[in-house]
Amino acid sequence: MVKLNQYQDTRSIFFIADFSKSKGNYIVDADGNVLLDVFAQIASIPIGYNNPAFSALAQQPAFQIALANRAALGVSPNKDWLESIERAFMAVAPKGMTNVFTVMCGSCANENAFKTAFMYKAAKRRGDRDFSVEELESCMKNASPGSPDDLSILSFTQAFHGRLFGSLTTTASKAIHKVDIPAFDWPKAVFPQLKYPLEDHREENAKIEHKALEQVEALIVHAKKPVAAVIVEPIQSEGGDNHASPDFFRKLQSICQRNDVLFIVDEVQTGVGATGTFWAHEAWSLPSPPDIVTFSKKFQAAGFYLSPRLRPAQPYRLYNTWMGDPVRAMQAAVIVQEIKNKGLLENVREVGHYLQQSLIKLQTSLPVKNVRGQGAFIAFDLPDSVQRDAFLVSMRQRGVNIGGCGENTVRLRPMLVFQKHHADILLDTMKQTFN
């Protein structure tokens, strides 16, 4: 660690891992210590360490060719790229979404989703005509009308959408992420701060959500910079695992539709099975698909789904050198097959219910409160950040790798292959740590 620090900042590192010895739900550190992993590389490992399906994939000639010859996918994709798109991304596309754009990471996905929204809004403004000479010349000077200075993206307090420029403007989970970085003048609505357990506070929470929705519509209607899109997470993951009801999200979509604002769902952390459905927003029963759904993490690949009407009229507008990674797309296809073949969504629902109910029972004997979750995407609060941070360290010392979020929240991000006996190990270690 000391030597690595000569070249890279190591202050965020929990420990040095030995991935060659890690397996399934267990990660091994460089000293040989074995830890049950419910943090899973910040919620990004779907089917366990060194899964045999990945090992088999690595032996396939097509995978080796993609590894040895990385394609610039916008210029000359390999002949099997269509198969990868169909087997990975379109096989599990959110209902009603028929286009996908692949990129390198979650932040990239959200940045390009914002670009898509701005291009769509600008095209509608000009009546879908071609660009004017003034627009083409002014954009080269970062000036309007070619570079509009009167469009925005609306996001929520406590949100996390990435660390690039547009995505960082819409992020509001921790000040350390944002300080010193210039930000766009975009509106931010208050995300409803619900009371838990949700089923015991339905009436009060409904009022909280109603007030939040009123604010969203007021911000859109009175925006000094017209809102091109609203972006929201199904569960605010970095901001403290903050939930809202399906009704809230349905009404949020309705507000977007009647104000001609695109509805972007950020499924970077919630997507690919963690909540018991492939996409967390499936639980909302939306009357129509979102306009854009972004993804990354557990899919190993990144990008966003979009409606065909949002595809730019000109080429090169959604574009970069790599435009994704064929190697990661092949991995994504394997993940999809493993989820289907092994019944992992059902497993997540069963084990998640068992773990959440067990944690609820512990609230009477441990300083655990506000247990909440969807599937195995579960969190709880501790009295304050000091106790939370000490708990995380103690759990790792006792053999469970675990993470936090928000001010005083512990988040559980087990893999899709997490079983009841793993949940028991987690629960027993928690009891030992608190006692």
Side-chain angles (χ1 to χ4, degrees):
M1 184 84 82
V2 173
K3 190 170 184 180
L4 178 61
N5 195 59
Q6 296 175 15
Y7 312 113
Q8 293 188 322
D9 188 350
T10 62
R11 286 173 293 179
S12 65
I13 293 176
F14 294 167
F15 53 82
I16 302 296
D18 185 344
F19 289 111
S20 68
K21 296 178 181 176
S22 302
K23 186 175 181 180
N25 289 281
Y26 294 92
I27 187 170
V28 178
D29 71 13
D31 296 322
N33 298 303
V34 179
L35 296 89
L36 177 67
D37 196 353
V38 293
F39 192 56
Q41 308 303 312
I42 320 178
S44 66
I45 301 295
I47 54 176
Y49 294 110
N50 289 303
N51 188 294
F54 281 156
S55 299
L57 173 65
Q59 302 304 313
Q60 295 181 13
F63 185 86
Q64 295 169 2
I65 289 169
L67 194 62
N69 306 279
R70 186 168 185 180
L73 292 168
V75 176
S76 51
N78 195 42
K79 60 183 181 180
D80 60 3
W81 179 236
L82 173 61
E83 179 185 355
S84 288
I85 289 176
E86 292 178 338
R87 292 183 60 227
F89 310 118
M90 301 319 299
V92 290
K95 186 177 180 180
M97 307 197 80
T98 59
N99 276 218
V100 66
F101 180 70
T102 50
V103 294
M104 296 306 302
C105 67
S107 294
C108 306
N110 287 328
E111 291 281 339
N112 281 280
F114 298 164
K115 284 178 59 179
T116 299
F118 290 140
M119 289 187 286
Y120 176 74
K121 195 78 169 180
K124 288 194 72 174
R125 277 180 170 181
R126 71 171 67 90
D128 292 316
R129 62 168 173 76
D130 202 2
F131 308 114
S132 68
V133 172
E134 183 184 14
E135 286 170 329
L136 293 174
E137 290 181 349
S138 61
C139 77
M140 300 304 291
K141 303 172 185 176
N142 296 331
S144 63
S147 296
D149 58 2
D150 62 344
L151 289 175
S152 65
I153 303 292
L154 187 149
S155 57
F156 288 89
T157 55
Q158 286 84 51
F160 185 92
H161 300 293
R163 296 172 181 262
L164 302 180
F165 275 94
S167 55
L168 190 59
T169 293
T170 58
T171 286
S173 54
K174 289 185 177 68
I176 196 66
H177 297 157
K178 297 171 66 71
V179 66
D180 293 338
I181 312 299
F184 297 108
D185 183 16
W186 293 350
K188 197 171 294 292
V190 174
F191 193 80
Q193 297 297 296
L194 303 187
K195 295 190 175 182
Y196 303 98
L198 297 176
E199 59 271 17
D200 293 346
H201 299 88
R202 285 192 176 93
E203 186 174 342
E204 186 174 0
N205 285 340
K207 292 177 181 178
I208 294 170
E209 290 186 340
H210 178 73
K211 184 176 180 180
L213 290 166
E214 283 187 327
Q215 185 196 30
V216 168
E217 186 144 34
L219 286 169
I220 291 173
V221 170
H222 301 295
K224 59 182 178 180
K225 296 185 176 183
V227 177
V230 168
I231 185 167
V232 68
E233 303 160 87
I235 301 168
Q236 288 191 319
S237 308
E238 297 293 330
D241 268 40
N242 306 312
H243 290 247
S245 71
D247 184 65
F248 171 82
F249 292 107
R250 287 192 294 267
K251 289 176 178 175
L252 180 62
Q253 183 190 42
S254 179
I255 289 171
C256 290
Q257 290 173 338
R258 66 173 170 261
N259 289 282
D260 194 24
V261 170
L262 297 184
F263 183 49
I264 302 174
V265 179
D266 180 349
E267 290 255 25
V268 168
Q269 190 159 158
T270 55
V272 194
T275 62
T277 52
F278 202 92
W279 303 108
H281 77 267
E282 291 176 47
W284 303 343
S285 299
L286 294 174
S288 58
D291 296 297
I292 294 174
V293 175
T294 61
F295 61 84
S296 186
K297 286 192 180 283
K298 277 187 170 63
F299 226 165
Q300 299 296 291
F304 62 91
Y305 296 97
L306 66 160
S307 165
R309 81 182 196 284
L310 300 182
R311 184 186 290 192
Q314 304 82 8
Y316 297 107
R317 306 208 69 200
L318 284 176
Y319 190 81
N320 56 60
T321 299
W322 302 125
M323 289 178 64
D325 185 346
V327 168
R328 298 304 178 187
M330 291 180 185
Q331 285 185 296
V334 168
I335 291 165
V336 169
Q337 284 304 308
E338 282 288 290
I339 289 172
K340 292 181 177 179
N341 294 343
K342 302 290 176 59
L344 294 183
L345 295 181
E346 182 180 1
N347 178 71
V348 167
R349 291 191 292 270
E350 290 181 359
V351 177
H353 177 76
Y354 173 77
L355 178 55
Q356 190 169 347
Q357 292 304 308
S358 298
L359 287 167
I360 288 171
K361 293 176 183 176
L362 289 182
Q363 290 183 130
T364 60
S365 58
L366 300 179
V368 170
K369 62 180 181 178
N370 297 334
V371 173
R372 57 208 183 264
Q374 188 174 330
F377 202 98
I378 298 170
F380 57 86
D381 296 333
L382 292 181
D384 54 50
S385 61
V386 174
Q387 292 185 59
R388 191 274 310 274
D389 294 346
F391 170 77
L392 298 180
V393 172
S394 182
M395 286 289 284
R396 290 187 203 111
Q397 292 173 340
R398 295 172 186 273
V400 175
N401 186 36
I402 193 168
C405 61
E407 289 296 320
N408 59 326
T409 300
V410 175
R411 58 172 159 175
L412 306 180
R413 298 292 181 266
M415 304 169 208
L416 309 183
V417 293
F418 191 75
Q419 304 293 317
K420 285 185 179 180
H421 68 272
H422 298 121
D424 289 334
I425 293 171
L426 169 64
L427 295 163
D428 288 343
T429 307
M430 286 180 59
K431 294 173 188 174
Q432 294 169 17
T433 299
F434 283 118
N435 292 333

